[in-house]
Amino acid sequence: MAATGKTHENWSSRSAFILAAVGSAVGLGNMWRFPAEAGENGGGAFVLFYIFCVLLIGLPVLLSEVLIGRHGQANAPESVRRVARDSNAPEGWSILASMGVFAAFLILSFYCVVGGWVVYYIGVFISDLVQTGLAGGAFEGRAAGDIEGLLPGLFGNGGLMVGLNLGFLAVTMFFVARGVSSGIEWVAVYLMPIFFVLFLGITIYGAFTGNFGEAVAYLFTFDFSKLTGEVMLAAVGQAFFSLSLGVAGMMTYGAYANRDTNLGETSGIIAGADTMVAMLAGLAIFPIVFAAGLSASAGPGLMFQSLPIAFQAMPFGSLIGLAFFVMVFFAALTSSVSLLEAPTAYVFEKFKLARPVATLIVGLGAAALGVLSSLSFNDMAEFYPLSFIPLFAETNFFDTLDGVTAKLFMPIGAILTCIFVGWIADAKLIDDENGLDGVLHQTWRVLVRFVCPIALTIILLAGLFA
Ligand code: PHE
């Protein structure tokens, strides 16, 4: 049942697809958001529930998404429409992907704000390296409060925030405008291997120099009493965010996959790599933070404030700091590229525009929202767009977009995807695409039909109303 009307390029190989998808999954979500969320939600209980969510919910949903894309061979809403059409089901189901495309656009807008902070810290460490030289720690002779003050200092400078934000977005637009093989695939194939080398080096370094034991105990000691509805919703939201789910991104990448790619196996590799990086990121960041006697619950400040203080005490601190933020930059770029690609593919196929034109339109929209997010740290700090909803009371523009996408759009998109793939789409069509046999296939079916939609609905309601 090959779909007709193919309008786009394909990945040049299966490994290119895997690198691009892992590139999408591994990003600020692993390095910045995961340790922050784990720390804010009490460590062990959050982490173990997170792993549970990845295996039982994230992985089945991931396979469902790439499968829809591969069958449809088009932008996400059009792919859902084609699966629906080939299953004699209402084409209106494409709404689930339209919502996803919109959510990807929202995430892109604030993701590039944080991408801008990463660029700022690259600059900070380069200038530190130039000033103090290679040996010794970072920020020689500067007080901890001073180093911690770098981030609020940046936040206070609205112009710089906006500039860095738009700069990061512009780099993202450059690669998406170049297309699948010479842009998106290029960044993944060159940057992801460099990322992994740097990442392993820093993790090993952190394990030897930091307080590894305390970090392991903190991340993996399960305390049931800490597992509240809110913690569970935060963990599911983080699992989706980290695996790039519920926002049409993986559908879009699945559409560029060839017919002979085994999607079941590929999804396993993507989820495995992403989760490994999140765990190792926790095991790299927390030992360093604990060794420096800093608090685990610093939240978003953990990567940007606590870690640089810890680099101060380390041999070769400036160089390690620079390597760390360059690595995070690479990971963030391969993710922002996928966030931009989902809406761009939709706009250029739907309105029959040239790819660069569509990239520009979507990019300008993300720039406008990005400016509001950047300013929510300074001039617009008191603007709470959804203050009438208790969950988002006193939440600024940036945090509102983060919360709404991870806690509403992603779980709702995933629930609809499961119902669509599990109950609406033609079973034969699904079987032909998923690359699973026997017990694995049966397990996946049960997860998608029953476990995922029910568990997600309960967690969503518990998190919102409990
Ligand atoms: N998964 C990416 C990260 O962890 C973020 C992302 C979310 C990318 C949704 C694409 C779609 O940083």
Side-chain angles (χ1 to χ4, degrees), residues 162-302:
V162 171
L164 291 165
N165 167 196
L166 298 186
F168 189 89
L169 176 62
V171 176
T172 306
M173 288 166 66
F174 172 78
F175 287 107
V176 170
R178 289 175 60 93
V180 175
S181 49
S182 43
I184 302 172
E185 195 175 303
W186 190 92
V187 248
V189 167
Y190 287 99
L191 301 190
M192 284 317 282
I194 306 181
F195 165 83
F196 274 107
V197 171
L198 288 173
F199 181 67
L200 282 181
I202 290 173
T203 311
I204 294 169
Y205 184 86
F208 281 111
T209 49
N211 196 337
F212 198 63
E214 197 181 335
V216 172
Y218 179 71
L219 288 173
F220 299 109
T221 309
F222 188 69
D223 178 356
F224 195 73
S225 67
K226 288 193 179 144
L227 200 59
T228 61
E230 219 172 304
V231 170
M232 288 198 278
L233 184 57
V236 171
Q238 174 59 22
F240 281 128
F241 188 91
S242 194
L243 292 171
S244 309
L245 297 179
V247 298
M250 287 297 181
M251 281 183 204
T252 309
Y253 275 16
Y256 309 142
N258 295 318
R259 299 247 18 116
D260 48 9
T261 304
N262 181 325
L263 296 184
E265 198 182 285
T266 311
S267 302
I269 296 174
I270 299 167
D274 183 65
T275 308
M276 189 195 78
V277 173
M279 295 304 131
L280 288 178
L283 289 177
I285 289 180
F286 285 113
I288 298 176
V289 167
F290 287 141
L294 302 164
S295 155
S297 54
L302 203 56

Side-chain angles (χ1 to χ4, degrees), residues 309-326:
I309 296 181
F311 287 139
Q312 189 176 33
M314 284 187 166
F316 304 108
S318 325
L319 187 67
I320 301 283
L322 178 60
F324 180 85
F325 282 99
V326 166

Side-chain angles (χ1 to χ4, degrees), residues 358-372:
T359 311
L360 191 66
I361 295 173
V362 179
L364 288 177
L369 289 184
V371 169
L372 294 181

Side-chain angles (χ1 to χ4, degrees), residues 75 342-353 357-358 361-362:
N75 67 77
T344 299
Y346 172 72
V347 169
F348 94 77
E349 287 177 10
K350 168 99 182 170
F351 302 104
K352 305 204 167 34
L353 298 170
V357 178
I361 295 173
V362 179

Side-chain angles (χ1 to χ4, degrees), residues 24-25 27-30 111 241-242 244 247 335 338-339 410:
S24 166
L28 292 167
N30 307 59
Y111 202 86
F241 188 91
S242 194
S244 309
V247 298
S335 299
S338 74
L339 285 163
M410 288 180 157

